[in-house]
Amino acid sequence: MWRRLAAPAAVLGAVVGAFAYVGTVDPNEPGHYPACPLLSVTGLYCPGCGGLRSAHAFVHGEPAVALQANAPAVVGYLLFAVVWTVWTVRAARGLPVRFEARPAHLWAFGAVLAVFTVVRNLPFGAWLHP
């Protein structure tokens, strides 16, 4: 059973390590992380802008701040937790693990990110700025 759980454990270790680093090294302090290239060149917020600040707030138990910094990222954190749990339980039971995203799901995901990106760059979407 331990061999079946090696991959989920490794992935969880990497994610916990990344969140621990972002939780320790504050992205709100200048000079710790590189600036977003799209924001630097065009002045437009990409769908990932605010993701590090969102993760930092999430680690520190500030869900409202995390949502304001980057709401899709918070949804991604929660989705990762669900998918990882299903993966781990199925692996522990010796069941096959297959996650297949249908084209409709990928298109919906892309559409949500596109709408989020456009809205956060319009004047009435200023509340979505990181």
Side-chain angles (χ1 to χ4, degrees):
M1 180 171 93
W2 297 112
R3 286 193 125 170
R4 293 190 305 250
L5 294 177
V11 169
L12 182 63
V15 170
V16 167
F19 270 81
Y21 181 79
V22 172
T24 304
V25 181
D26 189 357
N28 296 304
E29 298 288 326
H32 292 295
Y33 298 97
C36 172
L38 182 69
L39 182 61
S40 298
V41 173
T42 66
L44 297 173
Y45 294 104
C46 75
C49 281
L52 288 173
R53 282 172 275 202
S54 174
H56 182 77
F58 195 81
V59 167
H60 288 275
E62 300 170 339
V65 175
L67 282 167
Q68 195 281 324
N70 192 319
V74 175
V75 172
Y77 309 151
L78 300 175
L79 184 62
F80 169 80
V82 169
V83 169
W84 183 86
T85 302
V86 169
W87 179 24
T88 303
V89 168
R90 290 185 66 82
R93 292 180 179 170
L95 300 172
V97 180
R98 289 196 335 210
F99 296 105
E100 295 180 23
R102 295 188 171 103
H105 295 142
L106 296 175
W107 279 102
F109 175 72
V112 167
L113 283 183
V115 168
F116 172 72
T117 303
V118 169
V119 170
R120 80 186 316 199
N121 284 293
L122 294 173
F124 65 85
W127 58 279
L128 291 172
H129 292 179

